[in-house]
PDB file of all heavy atoms in Angstrom:
ATOM      1  N   PRO A  83      18.518 128.035 111.167  1.00  0.00           N
ATOM      2  CA  PRO A  83      18.966 128.795 112.313  1.00  0.00           C
ATOM      3  C   PRO A  83      19.359 130.238 111.982  1.00  0.00           C
ATOM      4  O   PRO A  83      19.922 130.494 110.935  1.00  0.00           O
ATOM      5  CB  PRO A  83      20.196 128.021 112.750  1.00  0.00           C
ATOM      6  CG  PRO A  83      20.746 127.436 111.504  1.00  0.00           C
ATOM      7  CD  PRO A  83      19.538 127.108 110.630  1.00  0.00           C
ATOM      8  N   TYR A  84      19.027 131.145 112.855  1.00  0.00           N
ATOM      9  CA  TYR A  84      19.333 132.525 112.736  1.00  0.00           C
ATOM     10  C   TYR A  84      19.909 133.038 114.079  1.00  0.00           C
ATOM     11  O   TYR A  84      19.560 132.559 115.146  1.00  0.00           O
ATOM     12  CB  TYR A  84      18.116 133.412 112.396  1.00  0.00           C
ATOM     13  CG  TYR A  84      17.645 133.180 110.993  1.00  0.00           C
ATOM     14  CD1 TYR A  84      16.854 132.054 110.683  1.00  0.00           C
ATOM     15  CD2 TYR A  84      18.001 134.073 110.011  1.00  0.00           C
ATOM     16  CE1 TYR A  84      16.423 131.871 109.401  1.00  0.00           C
ATOM     17  CE2 TYR A  84      17.533 133.862 108.725  1.00  0.00           C
ATOM     18  CZ  TYR A  84      16.789 132.786 108.395  1.00  0.00           C
ATOM     19  OH  TYR A  84      16.336 132.604 107.149  1.00  0.00           O
ATOM     20  N   ASP A  85      20.796 134.042 113.921  1.00  0.00           N
ATOM     21  CA  ASP A  85      21.340 134.746 115.097  1.00  0.00           C
ATOM     22  C   ASP A  85      20.180 135.576 115.685  1.00  0.00           C
ATOM     23  O   ASP A  85      19.559 136.382 114.937  1.00  0.00           O
ATOM     24  CB  ASP A  85      22.490 135.649 114.620  1.00  0.00           C
ATOM     25  CG  ASP A  85      23.119 136.503 115.693  1.00  0.00           C
ATOM     26  OD1 ASP A  85      22.496 136.556 116.798  1.00  0.00           O
ATOM     27  OD2 ASP A  85      24.168 137.055 115.441  1.00  0.00           O
ATOM     28  N   VAL A  86      19.882 135.461 116.925  1.00  0.00           N
ATOM     29  CA  VAL A  86      18.787 136.168 117.536  1.00  0.00           C
ATOM     30  C   VAL A  86      19.029 137.689 117.624  1.00  0.00           C
ATOM     31  O   VAL A  86      18.101 138.493 117.794  1.00  0.00           O
ATOM     32  CB  VAL A  86      18.431 135.670 118.963  1.00  0.00           C
ATOM     33  CG1 VAL A  86      17.875 134.293 118.918  1.00  0.00           C
ATOM     34  CG2 VAL A  86      19.547 135.854 119.937  1.00  0.00           C
ATOM     35  N   TYR A  87      20.289 138.095 117.415  1.00  0.00           N
ATOM     36  CA  TYR A  87      20.578 139.527 117.505  1.00  0.00           C
ATOM     37  C   TYR A  87      20.513 140.168 116.170  1.00  0.00           C
ATOM     38  O   TYR A  87      21.038 141.288 115.938  1.00  0.00           O
ATOM     39  CB  TYR A  87      21.929 139.681 118.183  1.00  0.00           C
ATOM     40  CG  TYR A  87      21.991 139.146 119.559  1.00  0.00           C
ATOM     41  CD1 TYR A  87      22.691 138.002 119.884  1.00  0.00           C
ATOM     42  CD2 TYR A  87      21.233 139.801 120.571  1.00  0.00           C
ATOM     43  CE1 TYR A  87      22.638 137.489 121.181  1.00  0.00           C
ATOM     44  CE2 TYR A  87      21.219 139.257 121.838  1.00  0.00           C
ATOM     45  CZ  TYR A  87      21.922 138.134 122.122  1.00  0.00           C
ATOM     46  OH  TYR A  87      21.902 137.627 123.416  1.00  0.00           O
ATOM     47  N   GLY A  88      19.859 139.533 115.170  1.00  0.00           N
ATOM     48  CA  GLY A  88      19.602 140.126 113.895  1.00  0.00           C
ATOM     49  C   GLY A  88      20.743 140.135 112.943  1.00  0.00           C
ATOM     50  O   GLY A  88      20.707 140.880 111.944  1.00  0.00           O
ATOM     51  N   ARG A  89      21.742 139.328 113.184  1.00  0.00           N
ATOM     52  CA  ARG A  89      22.919 139.323 112.250  1.00  0.00           C
ATOM     53  C   ARG A  89      22.742 138.333 111.177  1.00  0.00           C
ATOM     54  O   ARG A  89      23.692 138.020 110.455  1.00  0.00           O
ATOM     55  CB  ARG A  89      24.169 139.120 113.074  1.00  0.00           C
ATOM     56  CG  ARG A  89      24.484 140.267 113.999  1.00  0.00           C
ATOM     57  CD  ARG A  89      25.786 140.057 114.722  1.00  0.00           C
ATOM     58  NE  ARG A  89      25.574 139.052 115.796  1.00  0.00           N
ATOM     59  CZ  ARG A  89      25.843 139.268 117.059  1.00  0.00           C
ATOM     60  NH1 ARG A  89      26.333 140.365 117.468  1.00  0.00           N
ATOM     61  NH2 ARG A  89      25.684 138.299 117.958  1.00  0.00           N
ATOM     62  N   GLY A  90      21.543 137.810 110.972  1.00  0.00           N
ATOM     63  CA  GLY A  90      21.280 136.935 109.817  1.00  0.00           C
ATOM     64  C   GLY A  90      21.323 135.443 110.097  1.00  0.00           C
ATOM     65  O   GLY A  90      21.466 135.019 111.232  1.00  0.00           O
ATOM     66  N   PRO A  91      21.213 134.690 109.036  1.00  0.00           N
ATOM     67  CA  PRO A  91      21.203 133.250 109.144  1.00  0.00           C
ATOM     68  C   PRO A  91      22.558 132.688 109.572  1.00  0.00           C
ATOM     69  O   PRO A  91      23.597 133.326 109.344  1.00  0.00           O
ATOM     70  CB  PRO A  91      20.834 132.775 107.738  1.00  0.00           C
ATOM     71  CG  PRO A  91      21.115 133.886 106.860  1.00  0.00           C
ATOM     72  CD  PRO A  91      21.063 135.151 107.687  1.00  0.00           C
ATOM     73  N   LEU A  92      22.529 131.546 110.190  1.00  0.00           N
ATOM     74  CA  LEU A  92      23.721 130.851 110.636  1.00  0.00           C
ATOM     75  C   LEU A  92      23.948 129.598 109.802  1.00  0.00           C
ATOM     76  O   LEU A  92      22.994 128.898 109.487  1.00  0.00           O
ATOM     77  CB  LEU A  92      23.641 130.421 112.106  1.00  0.00           C
ATOM     78  CG  LEU A  92      23.377 131.518 113.113  1.00  0.00           C
ATOM     79  CD1 LEU A  92      23.049 130.940 114.481  1.00  0.00           C
ATOM     80  CD2 LEU A  92      24.668 132.384 113.258  1.00  0.00           C
ATOM     81  N   ARG A  96      28.473 126.994 111.952  1.00  0.00           N
ATOM     82  CA  ARG A  96      28.426 127.967 113.071  1.00  0.00           C
ATOM     83  C   ARG A  96      27.561 127.472 114.193  1.00  0.00           C
ATOM     84  O   ARG A  96      27.862 127.684 115.342  1.00  0.00           O
ATOM     85  CB  ARG A  96      28.035 129.331 112.590  1.00  0.00           C
ATOM     86  CG  ARG A  96      29.151 129.993 111.710  1.00  0.00           C
ATOM     87  CD  ARG A  96      28.769 131.342 111.289  1.00  0.00           C
ATOM     88  NE  ARG A  96      28.921 132.284 112.420  1.00  0.00           N
ATOM     89  CZ  ARG A  96      28.506 133.529 112.356  1.00  0.00           C
ATOM     90  NH1 ARG A  96      27.894 134.004 111.308  1.00  0.00           N
ATOM     91  NH2 ARG A  96      28.656 134.341 113.354  1.00  0.00           N
TER      92      ARG A  96
END
Side-chain angles (χ1 to χ4, degrees):
Y84 287 81
D85 177 348
V86 296
Y87 299 108
R89 293 182 286 236
L92 298 170
R96 288 184 76 189

